[in-house]
Amino acid sequence: MPDAISTDSLMKRLFRTKNLSSFLQQHEKQLETADFCTQLRMLCDERGLVPERVILSAQIDRTYGHQLFNGTRKPSRDKVIQLAFGMGLNIDETQKLLRAAGKSPLYPRLKRDAVILFSLKNGFNAMRTQELLSAYGLTLLGELI
């Protein structure tokens, strides 16, 4: 991350500023602006991944997955998480992808989220995560809640 600065420090600078335009210009590299499908494509490019393989690994319907990648569909929170597993993302990268999609982050006080966080931390794939969710009687990724 270019010119890394903590979120707390960025917040303090924002609240001290008298000129929002100057702040936004000065901290442009620290501010997230990429939309969800752009974020997906960037992650694939960085990792040398092909969307078709990510969609398959994520256990998402092929047509729907491509619509997520080209921005014609908005993902549910579960689809974002499935894509994170399909790309082999870590926890921080998954949380960032959730933010880019406008979804709530994974929260360890929620049992289902705790299982998902555990799976991400341990490098499990989507299928192994589904098995864990099922073993604990929790809603599977992609199922209606």
Side-chain angles (χ1 to χ4, degrees):
M1 176 183 222
D3 303 326
I5 182 173
S6 72
T7 302
D8 188 49
S9 181
L10 192 63
M11 181 80 80
K12 288 176 184 173
R13 291 179 187 187
L14 173 61
F15 290 162
R16 282 194 314 256
T17 192
K18 300 289 185 217
N19 186 321
L20 180 59
S21 294
S22 293
F23 172 85
L24 294 174
Q25 185 176 19
Q26 181 180 1
H27 298 287
E28 182 177 1
K29 291 180 181 175
Q30 289 89 22
L31 302 173
E32 296 176 18
T33 57
D35 63 6
F36 179 73
C37 66
T38 302
Q39 191 79 29
L40 274 181
R41 287 191 300 268
M42 286 173 27
L43 283 165
C44 282
D45 289 346
E46 289 170 7
R47 294 166 174 270
L49 298 172
V50 178
E52 186 76 27
R53 300 289 302 157
V54 170
I55 293 164
L56 182 64
S57 294
Q59 300 180 324
I60 295 175
D61 173 76
R62 183 178 178 270
T63 301
Y64 184 76
H66 284 290
Q67 291 171 338
L68 294 175
F69 269 89
N70 69 30
T72 58
R73 295 285 298 263
K74 299 291 183 199
S76 67
R77 184 174 186 260
D78 275 9
K79 293 301 179 211
V80 176
I81 294 166
Q82 286 177 260
L83 287 168
F85 280 111
M87 288 187 275
L89 301 184
N90 65 32
I91 292 170
D92 290 338
E93 293 164 328
T94 301
Q95 300 288 45
K96 185 175 181 179
L97 192 61
L98 283 163
R99 281 194 309 275
K103 305 302 176 188
S104 61
L106 292 163
Y107 184 60
R109 290 190 184 270
L110 298 175
K111 188 174 182 180
R112 184 173 185 261
D113 283 6
V115 170
I116 294 167
L117 286 162
F118 178 86
S119 294
L120 288 166
K121 173 69 175 153
N122 288 287
F124 295 166
N125 63 17
M127 185 176 292
R128 177 70 178 116
T129 303
Q130 297 286 48
E131 290 169 358
L132 272 178
L133 289 167
S134 178
Y136 288 100
L138 300 167
T139 304
L140 300 180
L141 289 169
E143 286 191 0
L144 295 176
I145 297 175

